[in-house]
Amino acid sequence: MNPGSATAIFLDAFLINNFVLAMFLGICPFLGVSGKVKTAGNMGMAVTFVMIVSSLCAFGINKLLVRYDLEFLRLICFIAVIASAVQLVEMTIKKFSPALFRALGIFLPLITTNCAILGLALFQTAREYSLVQSIAFSLGAGAGFSLALLLMAGLREKLDLADLPGVARGAALTLILAGILSLAFMGFAGLGG
Amino acid sequence: MSQPEAITLQTFTQGLWKENPVFVMMLGLCPVLAVTNTAMNSLAMGVATTFVLVCSGFLVSLLRHVIPKQVRIASYIIIIATFVTMADYLIQAISLEVYQALGAFIQLIVVNCIILGRAEAYASKNGPLKAVINGAGMGIGFTFALLCLGVVREVLGSGSLFGVQVMPDAFQPWSIFVLPPGAFFVLAFWLMLFAWFAERKRKGAQTA
């Protein structure tokens, strides 16, 4: 497969270099919101949506900054754009689908400080992706984030019933699970060719 | 000056142990897991984060009566982003090697929740000097946690420490520790160790 093709970039962000399990982006929501499958699904959806919007914005902004030789403002611009994109998404969802808005609740504003979003914008800039490649990258990253979150939530729902030694309860167990999942995802290496 | 409480030793030590940002509050885990594959990277990341914590704490504290409440989060983020950009260029100037190893994670300090959390919860309510001392304590606590992971991962994963070989030649490196899964396992191991200590201390207090 051609490494620059949209499919290859999608697969790379989705499975091989999964944002959560291989690149450690978005760990906070991954540990915090993975208690229940349903909320995990909603969170994944919201993050994917914000990723696509902010990836498009970041692409445009970067073109503008490079043109006027203002690359040192990149970080400040990106973070401001992401914060406003999240706000915009929040208002749009509230207007068009109040049910979805209620389901997402507090997770929506918190997406601003999700490093997966800023990471996505920074990586696509560093790798000089074109517009199509950027969209494929954000779709793959969003899908990968949702997949990791859903897998984790499913495992944790089962583990609530397990009999564990006291010291391993809570965060430590979640991290061990994440480690095992991450091991499994390493099996995808080489898939892109 | 509006400094309701005196600056005590506790202002500084709070972040070191009792409220250690990583082991106790579980904040800012992304860089903790991502850059701790060698002790050197861990140290560089810790120092960069401490720099941003101290500087942004100072500025936020100075401006705490100027910034309107409604736009405070946005203002904090802009202040933090400014210092992160500075740290980014500084590291690039000092050591290109470290800069390339840390990659985008230096810029991702912006979204490290420890820094925004400190700005919101501490610097916006206390005087500049106090904010600086507390920020330094938190930063050192964070660096300590990074080194805890970095040292274990480098020694077991590549048999060296700060690039100097420490294990005997016959030692076969457990490369799993420098790979992503190792990060999760080592952090889980530290958390369990601390939980075990806490448990023992509690039991000791009960029987005494």
Side-chain angles (χ1 to χ4, degrees):
Chain A
M1 222 183 316
N2 176 10
S5 77
T7 330
I9 290 174
F10 176 82
L11 276 180
D12 184 74
F14 181 37
L15 295 174
I16 305 163
N17 284 316
N18 185 286
F19 258 48
V20 179
L21 296 170
M23 316 247 280
F24 305 112
L25 296 167
I27 295 284
C28 300
F30 179 62
L31 298 180
V33 203
S34 59
K36 289 218 162 52
V37 172
K38 200 161 173 292
T39 33
N42 285 335
M43 182 67 181
M45 224 156 51
V47 168
T48 311
F49 192 59
V50 177
M51 271 183 174
I52 298 168
V53 174
S54 56
S55 158
L56 287 176
C57 298
F59 183 80
I61 297 258
N62 189 48
K63 278 267 172 309
L64 212 66
L65 289 179
V66 168
R67 184 151 167 214
Y68 291 105
D69 268 339
L70 292 171
E71 280 105 331
F72 60 90
L73 286 177
R74 192 180 280 152
L75 192 59
I76 297 181
C77 289
F78 279 2
I79 193 80
V81 162
I82 289 171
S84 20
V86 171
Q87 199 77 56
L88 195 75
V89 168
E90 200 180 339
M91 288 192 298
T92 320
I93 295 182
K94 196 176 184 179
K95 178 95 182 144
F96 290 104
S97 168
L100 182 63
F101 181 75
R102 273 196 301 277
L104 291 174
I106 181 72
F107 302 136
L108 216 46
L110 279 182
I111 295 174
T112 315
T113 49
N114 183 338
C115 47
I117 314 264
L118 184 63
L120 179 93
L122 291 173
F123 280 123
Q124 81 172 33
T125 316
R127 295 179 192 167
E128 296 175 347
Y129 281 162
S130 71
L131 187 60
V132 179
Q133 284 172 323
S134 300
I135 295 172
F137 188 48
S138 58
L139 276 175
F145 181 80
S146 314
L147 178 70
L149 207 60
L150 281 173
L151 282 173
M152 192 62 167
L155 287 171
R156 278 179 72 177
E157 279 193 355
K158 288 260 180 285
L159 273 169
D160 277 347
L161 305 170
D163 186 24
L164 287 164
V167 287
R169 278 190 191 284
L173 181 73
T174 316
L175 284 166
I176 292 179
L177 273 184
I180 297 170
L181 273 181
S182 165
L183 263 181
F185 268 70
M186 277 174 67
F188 287 116
L191 190 69
Chain B
M1 283 301 286
S2 58
Q3 285 193 2
E5 296 168 56
I7 299 162
T8 58
L9 191 65
Q10 223 222 327
T11 317
F12 180 68
T13 55
Q14 200 183 29
L16 288 184
W17 189 251
K18 233 175 133 188
E19 287 185 21
N20 187 293
V22 177
F23 292 134
V24 180
M25 303 206 288
M26 304 283 295
L27 287 176
L29 288 184
C30 306
V32 172
L33 294 167
V35 301
T36 52
N37 50 359
T38 70
M40 192 61 219
N41 287 354
S42 315
L43 189 65
M45 188 67 194
V47 171
T49 310
T50 309
F51 167 78
V52 177
L53 254 173
V54 170
C55 296
S56 63
F58 180 69
L59 199 60
V60 164
S61 173
L62 272 186
L63 297 174
R64 69 188 188 281
H65 299 303
V66 183
I67 299 173
K69 261 216 146 44
Q70 294 82 355
V71 294
R72 66 184 196 286
I73 300 285
S75 323
Y76 297 162
I77 288 196
I78 300 290
I79 291 173
I80 295 167
T82 312
F83 286 113
V84 172
T85 310
M86 277 164 66
D88 188 52
Y89 280 84
L90 272 174
I91 294 178
Q92 205 171 351
I94 296 167
S95 166
L96 202 59
E97 202 182 323
V98 172
Y99 180 77
Q100 273 155 357
L102 294 182
F105 280 95
I106 304 170
Q107 303 194 348
L108 284 175
I109 297 175
V110 177
V111 280
N112 190 328
C113 10
I114 298 171
I115 299 174
L116 191 62
R118 277 292 102 182
E120 164 77 9
Y122 203 89
S124 61
K125 297 189 185 108
N126 290 287
L129 188 62
K130 228 176 147 186
V132 165
I133 293 174
N134 186 266
M138 279 284 162
I140 293 168
F142 183 69
T143 313
F144 166 72
L146 281 172
L147 278 175
C148 277
L149 264 85
V151 167
V152 172
R153 286 182 72 190
E154 195 181 345
V155 168
L156 292 181
S158 22
S160 58
L161 189 58
F162 289 103
V164 182
Q165 193 169 350
V166 288
M167 292 302 233
D169 281 333
F171 175 74
Q172 193 70 40
W174 305 354
S175 42
I176 184 79
F177 278 103
V178 287
L179 294 171
F184 288 114
F185 289 138
V186 174
L187 182 58
F189 160 76
W190 278 112
L191 285 175
M192 281 198 275
L193 194 70
F194 287 132
W196 184 68
F197 273 129
E199 185 121 318
R200 242 174 52 145
K201 211 172 147 191
R202 218 187 45 225
K203 278 205 185 123
Q206 270 171 5
T207 49

